[in-house]
Amino acid sequence: PGRFSRLLQSSAPEAMQARPPTRLYLGIAAAAGAVLALEIGLTRLFSYTIWYHFAYLTISVALLGYGAAGSLLAAWPRLGRPGALAWWAVGAEAGVLGALGVIRVLPLDPLALASDAGQLLRLLAYYAAVTLPFLCGGFLVAAPLQQHPRAVGRLYFADLLGAGLACAGIVPLIWWVETPVATAATTFLFAAAAVAYAEPGRRVRPALAAIAVAAAAIAAAGALEFRAAPTKFVSQFLANP
């Protein structure tokens, strides 16, 4: 076993054997926190805008995004190269902004799925829009683990720590600023991941893009009014208290 282990290490690329820089630990912690907090925010948002049992749509779509990212990295490892990770984080931010826009512009009534083909198309649009930030987030978590297999334990510890802190923080944040803004606030964690993953000397462009998209997401979430499905009692109650 010792000879086999040394053979594997000698055949692995130098980048995979090198100790990951500290910024990768910060990046994976921020990325893991962002995707888990986003799951919680979207679950609560869907439980209001659609029926509560459709909230689990978030979990299934998140798993779809993570799995797709892992499969793509296995087929094309260059997708997770260090220079690309910062822009995947910006893409995740744009995905959050796009998902909030789709939820607001295309209200979904699940009780009309059988009678209205347009509702089915809206459901597919929901799946596509919500998958994007989790796909990008999957790259942010999987790529460092793929590139530094000898540091998986430490990287995974940073992943769990970031996810745990974000999950603990998103609930009081929802109480404070309400669900849409709290969900959009996950873009700031993605922005932190973008800065951490950006290569030294090349941080200005992804940092500026990340800050701009995060600000746009917060502004949009604060300005948009999210409505419950018309067949829900809460919708009827709000229309005629």
Side-chain angles (χ1 to χ4, degrees), residues 100-129:
L100 291 174
V102 168
I103 296 169
R104 173 60 185 89
V105 174
L106 299 175
L108 179 65
D109 185 0
L111 295 185
L113 285 173
S115 58
D116 184 359
Q119 294 295 326
L120 181 59
L121 293 176
R122 292 186 180 197
L123 180 61
L124 294 176
Y126 273 48
Y127 269 101

Side-chain angles (χ1 to χ4, degrees), residues 6-229:
R6 289 192 296 272
L7 177 62
L8 285 178
Q9 292 178 15
S10 63
S11 63
E14 291 184 5
M16 296 180 70
Q17 298 187 43
R19 189 182 185 92
T22 302
R23 60 187 180 84
L24 286 190
Y25 295 103
L26 299 175
I28 198 171
V35 293
L36 264 294
L38 180 61
E39 280 191 60
I40 293 174
L42 288 176
T43 296
R44 184 171 172 85
L45 189 60
F46 283 147
S47 69
Y48 172 72
T49 58
I50 325 175
W51 290 89
Y52 66 90
H53 46 271
F54 270 76
Y56 298 102
L57 177 152
T58 307
I59 299 172
S60 62
V61 172
L63 293 174
L64 172 64
Y66 301 153
S71 299
L72 291 172
L73 277 175
W76 295 287
R78 285 184 57 82
L79 291 174
R81 65 187 186 278
L85 287 179
W87 293 107
W88 283 121
V90 176
E93 291 183 81
V96 174
L97 177 58
L100 291 174
V102 168
I103 296 169
R104 173 60 185 89
V105 174
L106 299 175
L108 179 65
D109 185 0
L111 295 185
L113 285 173
S115 58
D116 184 359
Q119 294 295 326
L120 181 59
L121 293 176
R122 292 186 180 197
L123 180 61
L124 294 176
Y126 273 48
Y127 269 101
V130 176
T131 298
L132 178 59
F134 292 113
L135 173 66
C136 296
F139 285 119
L140 300 178
V141 172
L145 299 176
Q146 180 192 53
Q147 294 164 4
H148 300 279
R150 296 182 65 186
V152 162
R154 292 188 297 273
L155 286 169
Y156 194 51
F157 172 78
D159 172 294
L160 293 178
L161 180 63
L165 291 175
C167 288
I170 187 68
V171 175
L173 186 62
I174 287 173
W175 295 338
W176 182 32
V177 297
E178 298 188 353
T179 303
V181 175
T183 304
T186 60
T187 56
F188 285 108
L189 287 174
F190 282 123
V195 175
Y197 281 140
E199 296 180 284
R202 299 182 178 179
R203 288 198 172 107
V204 175
R205 290 177 61 189
L208 291 177
I211 293 171
V213 178
I218 291 292
L224 296 175
E225 181 184 357
F226 293 86
R227 300 174 182 174

